[in-house]
Amino acid sequence: MPLVTPYDMLHNTSAAVGAFNVALIEQLEAILAGAERARLPVIVQISENAVAHHGSLGPLAAAARTAVEAARVPAALHLDHATRPALIEEAVALGFTSVMYDGAALPWQENVDRTRRIARHCREHGVFLEAELGEVGGKDGAHAPGVRTDPGEAARFVADTGVDALAVAVGTSHHMTERTARLDLDLVRELRAAVPVPLVLHGSSGADDTTLAAAAAAGIRKVNISTHLNAVFTATVREVLDTGPDVVDPRRYVGRGREAMAAEVARLLRLFAAPVTAPAPA
């Protein structure tokens, strides 16, 4: 199936789509296997940090594009949290259908100006652009604990930049290993009413199932998850190595990690596709 952009996935739907990060080939395989089991669309993400880990974007991107194009469900290939415009341009040239420009550390106007230029470049190449706010999100980043996105500022940012989706701060934080985040669902609904493009929830690993389903029901359309799936993968690998100290073939332990991650991807996609209609308990 050919690569798709997230546009049709995220518009005209009452559910949300899962966007899952790849650091290893086995994780890429797990994400697509899970999506095929669930028979639901998925967004495969490669972050700027993953690019730094591998030393370049090209090899991992080539593997991801090949795998995504072979998937039996609609799938998009997304560059996540890119702070360097040059990396975004490279991803566009390599065939990514979606990118996220992260100018959250920049002052408001600089973030707007850079995001607008990148939006123009992406539009010219048919690539979907996600962004997030800068200074309005707080000095520690748009997803630092306690930070919240203002609906009026969000609407202004979208209008001034022309982005296709907006990551908003409503109570999650990156790199949470416990699912204890408390989301402001009323704010999600306010943002949904104020912002004409799909809303994205970053740091979703910190939210439990009930909260994530409620966020989708309130208006979140793209749910980014990395740390939680890394934890599932790693816990299974650790179990295999702990119970089999003589195991040396990496295929035996990363293969088990891949299977565990695929099962969790399928479960999460089904959860997002059938959101609850009531908010999570306060």
PDB file of all heavy atoms in Angstrom, residues 178-213:
ATOM      1  N   GLU A 178       5.684   6.251  34.244  1.00  0.00           N
ATOM      2  CA  GLU A 178       4.471   5.853  34.967  1.00  0.00           C
ATOM      3  C   GLU A 178       3.287   6.555  34.324  1.00  0.00           C
ATOM      4  O   GLU A 178       3.367   7.730  33.954  1.00  0.00           O
ATOM      5  CB  GLU A 178       4.572   6.221  36.449  1.00  0.00           C
ATOM      6  CG  GLU A 178       5.659   5.459  37.182  1.00  0.00           C
ATOM      7  CD  GLU A 178       5.678   5.781  38.668  1.00  0.00           C
ATOM      8  OE1 GLU A 178       4.833   6.604  39.109  1.00  0.00           O
ATOM      9  OE2 GLU A 178       6.509   5.214  39.386  1.00  0.00           O
ATOM     10  N   ARG A 179       2.170   5.852  34.227  1.00  0.00           N
ATOM     11  CA  ARG A 179       0.997   6.391  33.527  1.00  0.00           C
ATOM     12  C   ARG A 179       0.090   7.136  34.517  1.00  0.00           C
ATOM     13  O   ARG A 179      -1.018   6.713  34.826  1.00  0.00           O
ATOM     14  CB  ARG A 179       0.269   5.255  32.813  1.00  0.00           C
ATOM     15  CG  ARG A 179       1.171   4.492  31.848  1.00  0.00           C
ATOM     16  CD  ARG A 179       0.443   3.355  31.178  1.00  0.00           C
ATOM     17  NE  ARG A 179      -0.434   3.840  30.107  1.00  0.00           N
ATOM     18  CZ  ARG A 179      -1.334   3.082  29.501  1.00  0.00           C
ATOM     19  NH1 ARG A 179      -1.498   1.813  29.867  1.00  0.00           N
ATOM     20  NH2 ARG A 179      -2.094   3.586  28.539  1.00  0.00           N
ATOM     21  N   THR A 180       0.601   8.257  35.000  1.00  0.00           N
ATOM     22  CA  THR A 180      -0.083   9.001  36.058  1.00  0.00           C
ATOM     23  C   THR A 180      -0.469  10.423  35.648  1.00  0.00           C
ATOM     24  O   THR A 180      -0.916  11.195  36.486  1.00  0.00           O
ATOM     25  CB  THR A 180       0.810   9.068  37.308  1.00  0.00           C
ATOM     26  OG1 THR A 180       2.087   9.661  36.950  1.00  0.00           O
ATOM     27  CG2 THR A 180       1.058   7.680  37.893  1.00  0.00           C
ATOM     28  N   ALA A 181      -0.293  10.782  34.386  1.00  0.00           N
ATOM     29  CA  ALA A 181      -0.602  12.144  33.950  1.00  0.00           C
ATOM     30  C   ALA A 181      -2.097  12.423  34.075  1.00  0.00           C
ATOM     31  O   ALA A 181      -2.933  11.557  33.806  1.00  0.00           O
ATOM     32  CB  ALA A 181      -0.157  12.344  32.509  1.00  0.00           C
ATOM     33  N   ARG A 182      -2.426  13.646  34.466  1.00  0.00           N
ATOM     34  CA  ARG A 182      -3.817  14.072  34.595  1.00  0.00           C
ATOM     35  C   ARG A 182      -4.077  15.138  33.535  1.00  0.00           C
ATOM     36  O   ARG A 182      -3.539  16.241  33.615  1.00  0.00           O
ATOM     37  CB  ARG A 182      -4.079  14.611  36.001  1.00  0.00           C
ATOM     38  CG  ARG A 182      -3.788  13.581  37.093  1.00  0.00           C
ATOM     39  CD  ARG A 182      -3.871  14.203  38.481  1.00  0.00           C
ATOM     40  NE  ARG A 182      -5.232  14.564  38.836  1.00  0.00           N
ATOM     41  CZ  ARG A 182      -6.107  13.739  39.422  1.00  0.00           C
ATOM     42  NH1 ARG A 182      -5.734  12.494  39.711  1.00  0.00           N
ATOM     43  NH2 ARG A 182      -7.322  14.136  39.737  1.00  0.00           N
ATOM     44  N   LEU A 183      -4.891  14.808  32.564  1.00  0.00           N
ATOM     45  CA  LEU A 183      -5.148  15.719  31.453  1.00  0.00           C
ATOM     46  C   LEU A 183      -6.301  16.670  31.759  1.00  0.00           C
ATOM     47  O   LEU A 183      -7.260  16.303  32.445  1.00  0.00           O
ATOM     48  CB  LEU A 183      -5.481  14.931  30.181  1.00  0.00           C
ATOM     49  CG  LEU A 183      -4.293  14.544  29.294  1.00  0.00           C
ATOM     50  CD1 LEU A 183      -3.316  13.664  30.051  1.00  0.00           C
ATOM     51  CD2 LEU A 183      -4.781  13.856  28.039  1.00  0.00           C
ATOM     52  N   ASP A 184      -6.182  17.876  31.234  1.00  0.00           N
ATOM     53  CA  ASP A 184      -7.244  18.874  31.333  1.00  0.00           C
ATOM     54  C   ASP A 184      -8.152  18.682  30.116  1.00  0.00           C
ATOM     55  O   ASP A 184      -7.943  19.285  29.062  1.00  0.00           O
ATOM     56  CB  ASP A 184      -6.634  20.274  31.351  1.00  0.00           C
ATOM     57  CG  ASP A 184      -7.663  21.354  31.626  1.00  0.00           C
ATOM     58  OD1 ASP A 184      -8.867  21.114  31.389  1.00  0.00           O
ATOM     59  OD2 ASP A 184      -7.264  22.457  32.060  1.00  0.00           O
ATOM     60  N   LEU A 185      -9.169  17.854  30.272  1.00  0.00           N
ATOM     61  CA  LEU A 185     -10.038  17.522  29.151  1.00  0.00           C
ATOM     62  C   LEU A 185     -10.931  18.689  28.748  1.00  0.00           C
ATOM     63  O   LEU A 185     -11.292  18.817  27.569  1.00  0.00           O
ATOM     64  CB  LEU A 185     -10.873  16.292  29.489  1.00  0.00           C
ATOM     65  CG  LEU A 185     -10.052  15.019  29.715  1.00  0.00           C
ATOM     66  CD1 LEU A 185     -10.938  13.888  30.208  1.00  0.00           C
ATOM     67  CD2 LEU A 185      -9.322  14.598  28.453  1.00  0.00           C
ATOM     68  N   ASP A 186     -11.273  19.540  29.698  1.00  0.00           N
ATOM     69  CA  ASP A 186     -12.032  20.738  29.335  1.00  0.00           C
ATOM     70  C   ASP A 186     -11.210  21.626  28.413  1.00  0.00           C
ATOM     71  O   ASP A 186     -11.737  22.201  27.451  1.00  0.00           O
ATOM     72  CB  ASP A 186     -12.431  21.522  30.598  1.00  0.00           C
ATOM     73  CG  ASP A 186     -13.527  20.827  31.387  1.00  0.00           C
ATOM     74  OD1 ASP A 186     -14.278  20.029  30.784  1.00  0.00           O
ATOM     75  OD2 ASP A 186     -13.635  21.074  32.606  1.00  0.00           O
ATOM     76  N   LEU A 187      -9.912  21.730  28.689  1.00  0.00           N
ATOM     77  CA  LEU A 187      -9.040  22.514  27.827  1.00  0.00           C
ATOM     78  C   LEU A 187      -8.927  21.879  26.444  1.00  0.00           C
ATOM     79  O   LEU A 187      -8.895  22.583  25.426  1.00  0.00           O
ATOM     80  CB  LEU A 187      -7.653  22.656  28.467  1.00  0.00           C
ATOM     81  CG  LEU A 187      -6.604  23.413  27.638  1.00  0.00           C
ATOM     82  CD1 LEU A 187      -7.093  24.813  27.273  1.00  0.00           C
ATOM     83  CD2 LEU A 187      -5.279  23.489  28.401  1.00  0.00           C
ATOM     84  N   VAL A 188      -8.865  20.553  26.378  1.00  0.00           N
ATOM     85  CA  VAL A 188      -8.837  19.881  25.076  1.00  0.00           C
ATOM     86  C   VAL A 188     -10.059  20.279  24.263  1.00  0.00           C
ATOM     87  O   VAL A 188      -9.965  20.609  23.073  1.00  0.00           O
ATOM     88  CB  VAL A 188      -8.778  18.345  25.238  1.00  0.00           C
ATOM     89  CG1 VAL A 188      -8.921  17.660  23.875  1.00  0.00           C
ATOM     90  CG2 VAL A 188      -7.473  17.922  25.897  1.00  0.00           C
ATOM     91  N   ARG A 189     -11.230  20.276  24.898  1.00  0.00           N
ATOM     92  CA  ARG A 189     -12.455  20.641  24.184  1.00  0.00           C
ATOM     93  C   ARG A 189     -12.424  22.107  23.744  1.00  0.00           C
ATOM     94  O   ARG A 189     -12.882  22.448  22.644  1.00  0.00           O
ATOM     95  CB  ARG A 189     -13.670  20.343  25.063  1.00  0.00           C
ATOM     96  CG  ARG A 189     -14.003  18.846  25.146  1.00  0.00           C
ATOM     97  CD  ARG A 189     -15.258  18.589  25.926  1.00  0.00           C
ATOM     98  NE  ARG A 189     -15.007  18.577  27.361  1.00  0.00           N
ATOM     99  CZ  ARG A 189     -14.694  17.493  28.066  1.00  0.00           C
ATOM    100  NH1 ARG A 189     -14.593  16.316  27.453  1.00  0.00           N
ATOM    101  NH2 ARG A 189     -14.481  17.562  29.363  1.00  0.00           N
ATOM    102  N   GLU A 190     -11.898  22.979  24.584  1.00  0.00           N
ATOM    103  CA  GLU A 190     -11.777  24.396  24.212  1.00  0.00           C
ATOM    104  C   GLU A 190     -10.835  24.565  23.020  1.00  0.00           C
ATOM    105  O   GLU A 190     -11.111  25.347  22.091  1.00  0.00           O
ATOM    106  CB  GLU A 190     -11.268  25.213  25.397  1.00  0.00           C
ATOM    107  CG  GLU A 190     -12.253  25.364  26.537  1.00  0.00           C
ATOM    108  CD  GLU A 190     -11.661  26.154  27.688  1.00  0.00           C
ATOM    109  OE1 GLU A 190     -10.815  27.028  27.442  1.00  0.00           O
ATOM    110  OE2 GLU A 190     -12.037  25.882  28.841  1.00  0.00           O
ATOM    111  N   LEU A 191      -9.731  23.850  23.053  1.00  0.00           N
ATOM    112  CA  LEU A 191      -8.779  23.921  21.948  1.00  0.00           C
ATOM    113  C   LEU A 191      -9.386  23.366  20.665  1.00  0.00           C
ATOM    114  O   LEU A 191      -9.191  23.926  19.583  1.00  0.00           O
ATOM    115  CB  LEU A 191      -7.508  23.149  22.312  1.00  0.00           C
ATOM    116  CG  LEU A 191      -6.606  23.820  23.355  1.00  0.00           C
ATOM    117  CD1 LEU A 191      -5.646  22.798  23.957  1.00  0.00           C
ATOM    118  CD2 LEU A 191      -5.824  24.976  22.724  1.00  0.00           C
ATOM    119  N   ARG A 192     -10.130  22.276  20.780  1.00  0.00           N
ATOM    120  CA  ARG A 192     -10.773  21.682  19.602  1.00  0.00           C
ATOM    121  C   ARG A 192     -11.722  22.676  18.951  1.00  0.00           C
ATOM    122  O   ARG A 192     -11.825  22.761  17.709  1.00  0.00           O
ATOM    123  CB  ARG A 192     -11.523  20.417  20.025  1.00  0.00           C
ATOM    124  CG  ARG A 192     -12.308  19.708  18.955  1.00  0.00           C
ATOM    125  CD  ARG A 192     -11.438  19.096  17.897  1.00  0.00           C
ATOM    126  NE  ARG A 192     -11.083  20.060  16.856  1.00  0.00           N
ATOM    127  CZ  ARG A 192     -10.112  19.934  15.989  1.00  0.00           C
ATOM    128  NH1 ARG A 192      -9.319  18.885  16.014  1.00  0.00           N
ATOM    129  NH2 ARG A 192      -9.878  20.841  15.078  1.00  0.00           N
ATOM    130  N   ALA A 193     -12.427  23.452  19.787  1.00  0.00           N
ATOM    131  CA  ALA A 193     -13.365  24.444  19.265  1.00  0.00           C
ATOM    132  C   ALA A 193     -12.650  25.642  18.651  1.00  0.00           C
ATOM    133  O   ALA A 193     -13.172  26.277  17.722  1.00  0.00           O
ATOM    134  CB  ALA A 193     -14.310  24.901  20.377  1.00  0.00           C
ATOM    135  N   ALA A 194     -11.469  25.962  19.158  1.00  0.00           N
ATOM    136  CA  ALA A 194     -10.764  27.179  18.725  1.00  0.00           C
ATOM    137  C   ALA A 194      -9.822  26.946  17.559  1.00  0.00           C
ATOM    138  O   ALA A 194      -9.545  27.868  16.785  1.00  0.00           O
ATOM    139  CB  ALA A 194      -9.970  27.757  19.905  1.00  0.00           C
ATOM    140  N   VAL A 195      -9.310  25.739  17.419  1.00  0.00           N
ATOM    141  CA  VAL A 195      -8.245  25.452  16.448  1.00  0.00           C
ATOM    142  C   VAL A 195      -8.811  24.648  15.283  1.00  0.00           C
ATOM    143  O   VAL A 195      -9.412  23.588  15.502  1.00  0.00           O
ATOM    144  CB  VAL A 195      -7.097  24.681  17.131  1.00  0.00           C
ATOM    145  CG1 VAL A 195      -6.029  24.307  16.123  1.00  0.00           C
ATOM    146  CG2 VAL A 195      -6.503  25.506  18.257  1.00  0.00           C
ATOM    147  N   PRO A 196      -8.611  25.092  14.049  1.00  0.00           N
ATOM    148  CA  PRO A 196      -9.223  24.423  12.900  1.00  0.00           C
ATOM    149  C   PRO A 196      -8.450  23.227  12.346  1.00  0.00           C
ATOM    150  O   PRO A 196      -8.852  22.660  11.340  1.00  0.00           O
ATOM    151  CB  PRO A 196      -9.284  25.546  11.853  1.00  0.00           C
ATOM    152  CG  PRO A 196      -8.093  26.396  12.161  1.00  0.00           C
ATOM    153  CD  PRO A 196      -7.958  26.371  13.660  1.00  0.00           C
ATOM    154  N   VAL A 197      -7.339  22.858  12.994  1.00  0.00           N
ATOM    155  CA  VAL A 197      -6.557  21.712  12.523  1.00  0.00           C
ATOM    156  C   VAL A 197      -6.534  20.645  13.609  1.00  0.00           C
ATOM    157  O   VAL A 197      -6.827  20.919  14.775  1.00  0.00           O
ATOM    158  CB  VAL A 197      -5.113  22.129  12.160  1.00  0.00           C
ATOM    159  CG1 VAL A 197      -5.124  23.149  11.024  1.00  0.00           C
ATOM    160  CG2 VAL A 197      -4.364  22.660  13.372  1.00  0.00           C
ATOM    161  N   PRO A 198      -6.201  19.403  13.266  1.00  0.00           N
ATOM    162  CA  PRO A 198      -6.175  18.337  14.268  1.00  0.00           C
ATOM    163  C   PRO A 198      -5.198  18.627  15.408  1.00  0.00           C
ATOM    164  O   PRO A 198      -4.113  19.183  15.206  1.00  0.00           O
ATOM    165  CB  PRO A 198      -5.720  17.114  13.457  1.00  0.00           C
ATOM    166  CG  PRO A 198      -6.127  17.419  12.056  1.00  0.00           C
ATOM    167  CD  PRO A 198      -5.942  18.891  11.903  1.00  0.00           C
ATOM    168  N   LEU A 199      -5.597  18.208  16.611  1.00  0.00           N
ATOM    169  CA  LEU A 199      -4.783  18.380  17.809  1.00  0.00           C
ATOM    170  C   LEU A 199      -3.966  17.115  18.059  1.00  0.00           C
ATOM    171  O   LEU A 199      -4.448  16.000  17.879  1.00  0.00           O
ATOM    172  CB  LEU A 199      -5.657  18.660  19.021  1.00  0.00           C
ATOM    173  CG  LEU A 199      -6.574  19.876  18.945  1.00  0.00           C
ATOM    174  CD1 LEU A 199      -7.402  19.989  20.223  1.00  0.00           C
ATOM    175  CD2 LEU A 199      -5.779  21.156  18.710  1.00  0.00           C
ATOM    176  N   VAL A 200      -2.725  17.325  18.524  1.00  0.00           N
ATOM    177  CA  VAL A 200      -1.801  16.212  18.774  1.00  0.00           C
ATOM    178  C   VAL A 200      -1.425  16.196  20.247  1.00  0.00           C
ATOM    179  O   VAL A 200      -1.150  17.247  20.837  1.00  0.00           O
ATOM    180  CB  VAL A 200      -0.529  16.368  17.918  1.00  0.00           C
ATOM    181  CG1 VAL A 200       0.409  15.176  18.140  1.00  0.00           C
ATOM    182  CG2 VAL A 200      -0.881  16.512  16.447  1.00  0.00           C
ATOM    183  N   LEU A 201      -1.426  15.003  20.830  1.00  0.00           N
ATOM    184  CA  LEU A 201      -1.023  14.831  22.225  1.00  0.00           C
ATOM    185  C   LEU A 201       0.357  14.199  22.268  1.00  0.00           C
ATOM    186  O   LEU A 201       0.532  13.038  21.880  1.00  0.00           O
ATOM    187  CB  LEU A 201      -2.029  13.948  22.973  1.00  0.00           C
ATOM    188  CG  LEU A 201      -1.805  13.814  24.480  1.00  0.00           C
ATOM    189  CD1 LEU A 201      -2.031  15.146  25.190  1.00  0.00           C
ATOM    190  CD2 LEU A 201      -2.721  12.738  25.069  1.00  0.00           C
ATOM    191  N   HIS A 202       1.352  14.957  22.713  1.00  0.00           N
ATOM    192  CA  HIS A 202       2.694  14.422  22.919  1.00  0.00           C
ATOM    193  C   HIS A 202       2.816  13.923  24.364  1.00  0.00           C
ATOM    194  O   HIS A 202       2.017  14.260  25.223  1.00  0.00           O
ATOM    195  CB  HIS A 202       3.738  15.500  22.662  1.00  0.00           C
ATOM    196  CG  HIS A 202       3.950  15.806  21.217  1.00  0.00           C
ATOM    197  ND1 HIS A 202       5.187  16.117  20.685  1.00  0.00           N
ATOM    198  CD2 HIS A 202       3.093  15.838  20.169  1.00  0.00           C
ATOM    199  CE1 HIS A 202       5.072  16.329  19.392  1.00  0.00           C
ATOM    200  NE2 HIS A 202       3.808  16.180  19.051  1.00  0.00           N
ATOM    201  N   GLY A 203       3.833  13.119  24.620  1.00  0.00           N
ATOM    202  CA  GLY A 203       4.031  12.621  25.978  1.00  0.00           C
ATOM    203  C   GLY A 203       2.925  11.702  26.440  1.00  0.00           C
ATOM    204  O   GLY A 203       2.669  11.564  27.642  1.00  0.00           O
ATOM    205  N   SER A 204       2.270  11.017  25.512  1.00  0.00           N
ATOM    206  CA  SER A 204       1.087  10.221  25.852  1.00  0.00           C
ATOM    207  C   SER A 204       1.415   8.960  26.631  1.00  0.00           C
ATOM    208  O   SER A 204       0.510   8.327  27.187  1.00  0.00           O
ATOM    209  CB  SER A 204       0.331   9.853  24.577  1.00  0.00           C
ATOM    210  OG  SER A 204       0.015  11.008  23.824  1.00  0.00           O
ATOM    211  N   SER A 205       2.685   8.593  26.712  1.00  0.00           N
ATOM    212  CA  SER A 205       3.067   7.426  27.511  1.00  0.00           C
ATOM    213  C   SER A 205       2.716   7.616  28.971  1.00  0.00           C
ATOM    214  O   SER A 205       2.551   6.634  29.709  1.00  0.00           O
ATOM    215  CB  SER A 205       4.574   7.163  27.382  1.00  0.00           C
ATOM    216  OG  SER A 205       4.916   6.785  26.069  1.00  0.00           O
ATOM    217  N   GLY A 206       2.591   8.859  29.409  1.00  0.00           N
ATOM    218  CA  GLY A 206       2.291   9.133  30.811  1.00  0.00           C
ATOM    219  C   GLY A 206       0.824   9.060  31.169  1.00  0.00           C
ATOM    220  O   GLY A 206       0.456   9.239  32.337  1.00  0.00           O
ATOM    221  N   ALA A 207      -0.041   8.799  30.190  1.00  0.00           N
ATOM    222  CA  ALA A 207      -1.486   8.740  30.435  1.00  0.00           C
ATOM    223  C   ALA A 207      -1.982   7.299  30.355  1.00  0.00           C
ATOM    224  O   ALA A 207      -1.536   6.519  29.511  1.00  0.00           O
ATOM    225  CB  ALA A 207      -2.224   9.615  29.433  1.00  0.00           C
ATOM    226  N   ASP A 208      -2.932   6.958  31.224  1.00  0.00           N
ATOM    227  CA  ASP A 208      -3.458   5.593  31.215  1.00  0.00           C
ATOM    228  C   ASP A 208      -4.537   5.443  30.139  1.00  0.00           C
ATOM    229  O   ASP A 208      -4.904   6.398  29.452  1.00  0.00           O
ATOM    230  CB  ASP A 208      -3.983   5.190  32.598  1.00  0.00           C
ATOM    231  CG  ASP A 208      -5.145   6.054  33.082  1.00  0.00           C
ATOM    232  OD1 ASP A 208      -5.809   6.717  32.253  1.00  0.00           O
ATOM    233  OD2 ASP A 208      -5.397   6.059  34.301  1.00  0.00           O
ATOM    234  N   ASP A 209      -5.038   4.217  29.992  1.00  0.00           N
ATOM    235  CA  ASP A 209      -5.987   3.924  28.920  1.00  0.00           C
ATOM    236  C   ASP A 209      -7.232   4.796  28.989  1.00  0.00           C
ATOM    237  O   ASP A 209      -7.690   5.344  27.975  1.00  0.00           O
ATOM    238  CB  ASP A 209      -6.413   2.456  28.983  1.00  0.00           C
ATOM    239  CG  ASP A 209      -5.350   1.502  28.475  1.00  0.00           C
ATOM    240  OD1 ASP A 209      -4.254   1.969  28.099  1.00  0.00           O
ATOM    241  OD2 ASP A 209      -5.614   0.284  28.464  1.00  0.00           O
ATOM    242  N   THR A 210      -7.815   4.915  30.174  1.00  0.00           N
ATOM    243  CA  THR A 210      -9.037   5.692  30.317  1.00  0.00           C
ATOM    244  C   THR A 210      -8.817   7.141  29.924  1.00  0.00           C
ATOM    245  O   THR A 210      -9.639   7.753  29.234  1.00  0.00           O
ATOM    246  CB  THR A 210      -9.549   5.617  31.766  1.00  0.00           C
ATOM    247  OG1 THR A 210      -9.789   4.258  32.112  1.00  0.00           O
ATOM    248  CG2 THR A 210     -10.835   6.411  31.939  1.00  0.00           C
ATOM    249  N   THR A 211      -7.695   7.687  30.339  1.00  0.00           N
ATOM    250  CA  THR A 211      -7.378   9.079  30.031  1.00  0.00           C
ATOM    251  C   THR A 211      -7.144   9.276  28.537  1.00  0.00           C
ATOM    252  O   THR A 211      -7.609  10.258  27.946  1.00  0.00           O
ATOM    253  CB  THR A 211      -6.144   9.525  30.833  1.00  0.00           C
ATOM    254  OG1 THR A 211      -6.403   9.358  32.217  1.00  0.00           O
ATOM    255  CG2 THR A 211      -5.807  10.976  30.558  1.00  0.00           C
ATOM    256  N   LEU A 212      -6.424   8.366  27.899  1.00  0.00           N
ATOM    257  CA  LEU A 212      -6.164   8.490  26.469  1.00  0.00           C
ATOM    258  C   LEU A 212      -7.450   8.380  25.657  1.00  0.00           C
ATOM    259  O   LEU A 212      -7.659   9.132  24.698  1.00  0.00           O
ATOM    260  CB  LEU A 212      -5.166   7.425  26.024  1.00  0.00           C
ATOM    261  CG  LEU A 212      -3.731   7.603  26.526  1.00  0.00           C
ATOM    262  CD1 LEU A 212      -2.866   6.423  26.093  1.00  0.00           C
ATOM    263  CD2 LEU A 212      -3.130   8.909  26.026  1.00  0.00           C
ATOM    264  N   ALA A 213      -8.323   7.452  26.032  1.00  0.00           N
ATOM    265  CA  ALA A 213      -9.591   7.322  25.329  1.00  0.00           C
ATOM    266  C   ALA A 213     -10.445   8.566  25.521  1.00  0.00           C
ATOM    267  O   ALA A 213     -11.105   9.037  24.587  1.00  0.00           O
ATOM    268  CB  ALA A 213     -10.339   6.083  25.818  1.00  0.00           C
TER     269      ALA A 213
END
